[in-house]
């Protein structure tokens, strides 16, 4: 198997999962020095990647590469153009590899509160990131390749970036506890998202690589959780006993750290996956609960004290 983007948040866990399978021979391709093969998808030519594919002849190519932040031009370059390079190289190559592409729930955009978004939903991304990822997924789906797109909802767990919404929440709690303050002011706690542990995502990628399923498959838990509930669980695992306020609460005292609204993903206040396809087509179900995921995030945040 060829893993592209093995150094990223999702890619690292996918690599760990695949390396644990003795039947898998893994090659990592990426921009970092620790990749088996260095190659920048956003600037490299399809011809060069085709020659590499013909030499290595992987049975499966897994694309975990991409950018989550930056301007529209950067997002298009790292998400859309990079995926176009992969698809074109696979079409030119004689390796006949299957493609597993990691998409994201931001491709869907806003959904009605209380609903579960299925793979047949019409995507209406509400952010440049979502647009760039949707364009990449459409390139994969229209490529004519043996390909599957895993639309991952809100990944969490060990290695969560400090710049991500849950990473910022944990960092804010860490600062408050370190400074001995008794209150935490956070915005947007009414937002609800479908949080899925990154290790379960890696299991889904492994299952998709070994399956014959094609098209789009959602990867989530099928349960939306309010951020206020996430904060309550995080406070419990962290031992934080102070108050949590939202800035618009009339009784909230002034002062204290405040975060920008979380999830600038253009998906609105609610998102929840319909995960029946993952169960039926991949034989996959999530195993790791939110409390365990948050405990791992907090352990990493606490180590920065």
């Amino acid at each position: 198997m060829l893993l592209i983007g093995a150094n990223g948040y999702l890619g690292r866990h996918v690599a760990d999962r695949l390396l644990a399978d003795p039947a898998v021979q893994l090659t990592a391709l990426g921009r970092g020095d620790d990749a088996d093969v260095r190659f920048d998808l956003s600037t490299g030519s399809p011809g060069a990647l085709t020659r590499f594919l013909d030499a290595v002849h992987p049975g499966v190519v897994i694309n975990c590469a991409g950018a989550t932040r930056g301007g529209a031009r950067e997002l298009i370059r790292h998400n859309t153009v990079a995926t176009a390079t992969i698809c074109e190289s696979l079409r030119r190559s004689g390796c006949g590899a299957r493609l597993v592409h990691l998409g994201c729930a931001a491709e869907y955009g806003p959904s009605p509160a209380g609903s579960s978004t299925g793979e047949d939903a019409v995507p209406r991304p509400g952010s440049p990131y979502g647009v760039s990822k949707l364009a990449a997924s459409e390139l994969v789906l229209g490529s004519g390749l043996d390909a599957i797109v895993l639309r991952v909802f809100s990944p969490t767990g060990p290695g969560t970036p400090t710049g991500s919404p849950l990473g910022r929440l944990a960092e804010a709690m860490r600062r408050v506890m370190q400074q001995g303050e008794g209150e935490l002011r956070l915005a947007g706690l009414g937002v609800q998202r479908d949080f899925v542990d990154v290790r379960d995502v890696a299991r889904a990628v492994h299952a998709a690589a070994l399956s014959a399923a094609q098209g789009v498959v959602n990867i989530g838990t099928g349960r939306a959780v309010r951020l206020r509930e996430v904060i309550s669980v995080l406070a419990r695992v962290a031992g934080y006993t102070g108050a949590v306020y939202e800035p618009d609460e009339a009784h909230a005292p002034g002062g204290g750290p405040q975060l920008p609204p979380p999830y600038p993903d253009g998906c609105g206040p609610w998102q929840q996956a319909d995960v029946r396809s993952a169960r039926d087509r991949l034989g996959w179900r999530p195993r790791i609960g939110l409390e365990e995921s948050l405990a791992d995030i907090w352990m990493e945040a606490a180590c920065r004290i």
Side-chain angles (χ1 to χ4, degrees):
M1 292 188 189
L2 176 65
L3 176 59
I4 302 173
N7 298 324
Y9 172 40
L10 297 179
R12 289 194 300 272
H13 290 278
V14 171
D16 289 344
R17 174 74 186 185
L18 296 177
L19 288 170
D21 183 348
V24 172
Q25 183 176 354
L26 187 66
T27 300
L29 183 148
R31 290 180 290 168
D33 292 336
D34 50 353
D36 296 324
V37 178
R38 290 192 65 181
F39 188 84
D40 190 337
L41 287 168
S42 64
T43 58
S45 71
L49 184 56
T50 299
R51 290 190 292 273
F52 174 74
L53 291 171
D54 286 338
V56 176
H57 217 77
V60 180
V61 173
I62 299 170
N63 181 27
C64 295
T68 57
R69 294 186 295 276
R73 179 175 297 180
E74 184 179 7
L75 291 169
I76 290 293
R77 184 160 61 92
H78 288 293
N79 294 333
T80 312
V81 174
T83 302
T85 298
I86 294 172
C87 291
E88 181 61 24
S89 300
L90 284 169
R91 279 196 296 265
R92 295 183 187 182
S93 172
C95 70
R98 172 173 171 78
L99 175 59
V100 179
H101 173 75
L102 266 66
C104 71
E107 297 173 34
Y108 287 122
S111 56
S115 67
S116 293
T117 302
E119 291 85 355
D120 59 349
V122 177
R124 294 186 177 88
S127 67
Y129 171 65
V131 169
S132 71
K133 290 293 289 183
L134 176 61
S137 291
E138 292 295 341
L139 286 170
V140 171
L141 296 171
S143 66
L145 300 168
D146 174 14
I148 184 170
V149 173
L150 301 182
R151 281 200 176 129
V152 179
F153 276 63
S154 297
T156 184
T160 294
T162 55
S164 70
L166 293 192
R168 292 198 304 269
L169 294 179
E171 181 62 16
M173 186 168 289
R174 182 196 69 80
R175 289 198 306 268
V176 165
M177 294 178 70
Q178 184 180 24
Q179 295 164 8
E181 298 177 8
E183 64 186 48
L184 181 60
R185 299 188 70 208
L186 302 169
L189 298 185
V191 168
Q192 297 180 72
R193 288 292 183 267
D194 188 332
F195 298 103
V196 57
D197 191 274
V198 67
R199 292 159 292 193
D200 281 333
V201 174
R203 288 180 42 250
V205 173
H206 191 190
L210 300 178
S211 79
Q214 296 184 341
V216 178
V217 175
N218 289 338
I219 302 301
T221 65
R223 175 178 176 258
V225 179
R226 195 180 304 274
L227 275 192
R228 179 166 281 283
E229 181 181 339
V230 171
I231 284 293
S232 297
V233 175
L234 187 62
R236 184 168 66 249
V237 301
Y240 174 70
T241 57
V244 177
Y245 297 113
E246 290 192 68
D248 57 352
E249 291 181 356
H251 62 276
Q258 181 176 325
L259 294 180
Y263 291 96
D265 54 9
C267 294
W270 170 275
Q271 198 171 55
Q272 177 175 283
D274 182 332
V275 294
R276 288 175 293 180
S277 287
R279 178 194 64 205
D280 298 340
R281 301 175 65 197
L282 301 180
W284 175 90
R285 289 180 173 84
R287 295 177 180 171
I288 299 174
L290 181 59
E291 183 160 348
E292 182 177 345
S293 301
L294 292 174
D296 289 330
I297 292 175
W298 175 250
M299 183 176 295
E300 293 175 347
C303 288
R304 292 191 290 272
I305 294 179

